[in-house]
Amino acid sequence: MAELSIQELKKRYKRCEDHKNNWRTIYEEAYEFALPMRNLYDGYYEGDVPGQNKMKRVFDSTAVHSTARFANRLQSSLFPPQQEWCRLMPGADIPEERKIEAQTALDFYSKRMFQLMRISGFDLAMGEFLLDLAIGTSCMLIQQGDENTRIRYTAVPSFQISFEEGPNGNPDTVYRRLKRAFNVIEKEFLDAEIPQELIDKYKEDPTEKVELLEATYTNDGVIYYCVSTMEDDIKLVSRKLKSFPWVISRYMKASNERYGRGPVLYALPDIKTLNKVTELTLKNASISIGGVFTAVDDGVLNPETISIVPGAVISVSSNGGPRGASLAPLARSGDVNLSQLVANDLRTNIKKTLLDESLAPENMSARSATEIQAKLSELSQNLGSAFGRLISETMTPIVRRTLELMDEMGMIELPLKVNGLEVQIVPTSPLAMANNMEKVNDVMNYLQIAQSLGPVGQTLVKQDKIGDYLADMLSIPAELRTTPEERAAMQEQMLATAQAVAEQQGVDTAPIEQAIAQ
């Protein structure tokens, strides 16, 4: 099978967009109330008006702040900025005696990878990526850059993306609808072939925007990338890629659904209810502050000629008997205290759903390391299955794609197969390390129990294996650890030194040899 034609791609894109439109209503509401500043559903293609007010219907900012804190907490716990949040480690196919040697080489490439990420704006793109993930589906495009920015990480709003799933449920075809000024197409797509008819069309105004369709798809095991115009069906860019450039992550998804559902969608009923309660409370408060009055048209007071500011005057026939006062305040309706109780309950539910109450308040006394680890473990438990999906659909594809681009740029001398058997990706972020510390504590407790058993307990433990296990759990760099050959040489040197000292003192060396062997 060869590369697909533009007409065939547009047919598939149309079917893909029709499928995505089933999600438009729920996604649009979620962005409107939780991420209004990233809401492209409101007039992006209709008018593309920059600087528009996107918070016209937002009366309560709880969801906006909690969504931002949710993304920040995930980033600091899984992808902490300016830190190394994962580690390349030898897989099961690497022989045991070669693992430390292999780990030394992999640590070198890990450091080079993160150095490249730090200067490529990865932290910024990841923050925007996790904001969209709070809604349900997030997208990142990873491409080769220029001399200053070797790799470009771009968090693309999910509004612009539609995709198809492959046989294993992984996105293997991604369409992006975008607009670009005609005079920047050649700068953004260096290999673009622009026909003369298109040059003549935009000759008078080269800054006029052109609507493009970008398609990345897998066909017969080959990854194709093409860019074409939406109106004229002109193919501008056509490439074959060595690896898939898109990272599509879903927070949670059902087996029969393509797009994800994030915590904002679970909290959306409470968010909308809280927004309406706050709106009605503000309207009631404005009436309470300004006041609304009733006036009796009794020939003495003429409501048509008076002005009461900021309140209003309503003409009535009577204000009580016998006709009542000439001017009386209107009785205020509603219970402010009840509305506050309802609003506080809704805010609490929203914060719990968005994991906005995992840590103690910052105005309390300093928190210990044990408490922070306990809170991180609690956060891991609250994430549930989403934690595993974040590793498999976000962390692993990002690292694999970055390493593949580094290989294409000649920055990796040895081929790295990140398949879990030769090379595996192990998270070392604070959230992952909190889980590892539980395993470390279990091993240390076992060691204490073994030591309490005396000589019998020493036979239950492999001291060198425990050292390697703890080093792996604590992500100790391989350059700080000794290889099996170095350990054997050190043991022989220790034995020779001990034997020499014992011979000088006339002591039996058998117990010393036995102790060093253990």
Side-chain angles (χ1 to χ4, degrees):
M1 299 178 68
E3 187 176 2
L4 299 178
S5 64
I6 297 299
Q7 291 74 17
E8 178 63 25
L9 283 175
K10 285 191 174 182
K11 288 180 181 179
R12 293 176 56 174
Y13 165 72
K14 182 63 171 58
R15 291 194 298 266
C16 206
E17 277 292 298
D18 292 341
H19 175 83
K20 186 182 178 182
N21 284 335
N22 297 328
W23 294 79
R24 181 182 177 100
T25 301
I26 187 171
Y27 272 10
E28 185 175 2
E29 286 184 340
Y31 275 100
E32 181 180 7
F33 293 110
L35 278 177
M37 298 307 175
R38 288 183 65 84
N39 180 19
L40 298 183
Y41 288 90
D42 187 12
Y44 180 77
Y45 283 121
E46 290 77 2
D48 195 14
V49 181
Q52 59 181 313
N53 181 13
K54 297 185 178 183
M55 301 186 70
K56 294 178 289 186
R57 293 178 57 196
V58 178
F59 294 93
D60 188 274
S61 61
T62 300
V64 178
H65 293 315
S66 294
T67 302
R69 286 177 63 88
F70 171 84
N72 293 338
R73 181 153 297 159
L74 278 188
Q75 184 170 11
S76 61
S77 301
L78 280 172
F79 308 95
Q82 302 300 313
Q83 297 183 27
E84 298 182 5
W85 35 260
C86 76
R87 189 184 189 193
L88 301 177
M89 296 185 66
D93 286 353
I94 304 300
E96 193 69 26
E97 63 275 7
R98 299 292 303 278
K99 282 192 174 181
I100 295 182
E101 179 185 354
Q103 187 64 69
T104 303
L106 293 176
D107 285 345
F108 171 77
Y109 290 124
S110 296
K111 290 181 179 180
R112 176 175 288 188
M113 179 184 69
F114 281 105
Q115 288 174 352
L116 194 62
M117 284 184 170
R118 292 188 189 102
I119 63 176
S120 300
F122 171 79
D123 295 332
L124 177 62
M126 178 52 65
E128 299 176 356
F129 179 88
L130 293 175
L131 283 173
D132 286 330
L133 188 65
I135 304 296
T137 304
S138 53
C139 314
M140 181 180 292
L141 179 61
I142 306 176
Q143 294 176 305
Q144 187 172 342
D146 51 24
E147 294 182 357
N148 297 323
T149 305
R150 303 301 299 272
I151 297 179
R152 293 202 309 268
Y153 298 90
T154 307
V156 182
S158 60
F159 172 79
Q160 300 177 351
I161 299 299
S162 58
F163 58 90
E164 302 172 3
E165 287 186 334
N168 298 320
N170 297 321
D172 64 349
T173 302
V174 179
Y175 304 98
R176 178 168 65 147
R177 184 181 173 188
L178 65 158
K179 294 180 180 180
R180 291 292 185 271
F182 178 76
N183 59 348
V184 303
I185 292 180
E186 286 185 328
K187 299 177 182 178
E188 183 170 352
F189 307 99
L190 299 179
D191 55 345
E193 297 180 359
I194 303 178
Q196 187 62 39
E197 56 179 303
L198 204 61
I199 297 176
D200 296 338
K201 182 177 180 180
Y202 294 95
K203 186 176 182 180
E204 296 183 359
D205 186 9
T207 62
E208 183 180 351
K209 289 189 175 182
V210 184
E211 191 169 7
L212 305 174
L213 176 64
E214 179 187 76
T216 308
Y217 60 96
T218 303
N219 197 17
D220 197 21
V222 181
I223 302 173
Y224 295 95
Y225 173 87
C226 72
V227 179
S228 64
T229 60
M230 290 291 293
E231 181 179 357
D232 302 313
D233 291 349
I234 298 176
K235 182 181 292 187
L236 303 177
V237 180
S238 179
R239 307 174 190 164
K240 289 184 180 180
L241 305 179
K242 295 182 179 180
S243 60
F244 200 70
W246 286 97
V247 176
I248 308 293
S249 181
R250 284 73 57 94
Y251 185 81
M252 294 182 67
K253 75 182 236 9
S255 59
N256 60 336
E257 291 184 340
R258 188 179 302 176
Y259 294 87
R261 297 179 183 267
V264 171
L265 298 189
Y266 292 109
L268 191 57
D270 288 339
I271 293 173
K272 294 169 63 178
T273 304
L274 175 61
N275 193 72
K276 194 64 178 179
V277 169
T278 305
E279 179 185 359
L280 296 177
T281 301
L282 292 174
K283 288 182 178 179
N284 192 19
S286 65
I287 294 175
S288 300
I289 295 173
V292 179
F293 300 89
T294 61
V296 176
D297 188 6
D298 55 0
V300 178
L301 177 67
N302 186 2
E304 303 296 333
T305 60
I306 67 172
S307 177
I308 301 177
V309 180
V313 178
I314 303 174
S315 179
V316 297
S317 61
S318 173
N319 262 337
R323 301 196 69 184
S326 297
L327 185 64
L330 184 67
R332 181 173 57 86
S333 62
D335 188 344
V336 177
N337 294 328
L338 178 60
S339 64
Q340 288 298 326
L341 289 174
V342 173
N344 290 335
D345 290 341
L346 291 172
R347 290 190 181 98
T348 301
N349 293 337
I350 293 171
K351 289 184 176 182
K352 286 183 178 180
T353 306
L354 294 175
L355 308 179
D356 197 10
E357 291 184 337
S358 296
L359 292 176
E362 297 178 356
N363 57 358
M364 296 182 64
S365 59
R367 292 160 287 178
S368 64
T370 304
E371 181 183 359
I372 294 177
Q373 289 179 1
K375 293 298 182 181
L376 288 173
S377 298
E378 180 184 354
L379 176 61
S380 176
Q381 294 174 1
N382 292 335
L383 285 174
S385 60
F387 178 75
R389 186 174 289 275
L390 282 168
I391 301 300
S392 61
E393 283 196 353
T394 303
M395 181 178 292
T396 301
I398 288 175
V399 174
R400 182 182 289 117
R401 171 63 175 170
T402 302
L403 291 174
E404 288 167 346
L405 287 179
M406 291 173 61
D407 185 29
E408 293 179 16
M409 293 184 290
M411 301 178 67
I412 296 180
E413 291 79 9
L414 300 175
L416 299 179
K417 293 184 179 180
V418 187
N419 53 9
L421 297 177
E422 295 186 11
V423 179
Q424 58 179 336
I425 299 172
V426 179
T428 59
S429 60
L431 189 59
M433 293 305 296
N435 295 332
N436 288 350
M437 285 304 300
E438 295 182 0
K439 301 177 182 179
V440 171
N441 292 333
D442 292 339
V443 174
M444 297 306 296
N445 291 334
Y446 177 73
L447 285 177
Q448 292 179 359
I449 295 174
Q451 290 177 358
S452 65
L453 297 177
V456 177
Q458 295 182 0
T459 62
L460 302 177
V461 179
K462 295 181 179 179
Q463 299 291 342
D464 55 340
K465 299 296 183 183
I466 288 182
D468 289 336
Y469 178 81
L470 294 179
D472 290 339
M473 289 294 101
L474 298 176
S475 297
I476 303 300
E479 60 185 8
L480 303 180
R481 298 163 58 180
T482 56
T483 64
E485 293 79 7
E486 292 173 339
R487 295 173 192 172
M490 292 171 64
Q491 288 179 357
E492 292 179 0
Q493 183 178 0
M494 291 171 59
L495 178 59
T497 303
Q499 287 177 344
V501 174
E503 289 176 357
Q504 291 178 359
Q505 298 178 355
V507 180
D508 185 13
T509 60
I512 299 177
E513 297 177 358
Q514 183 179 2
I516 294 179
Q518 291 180 354

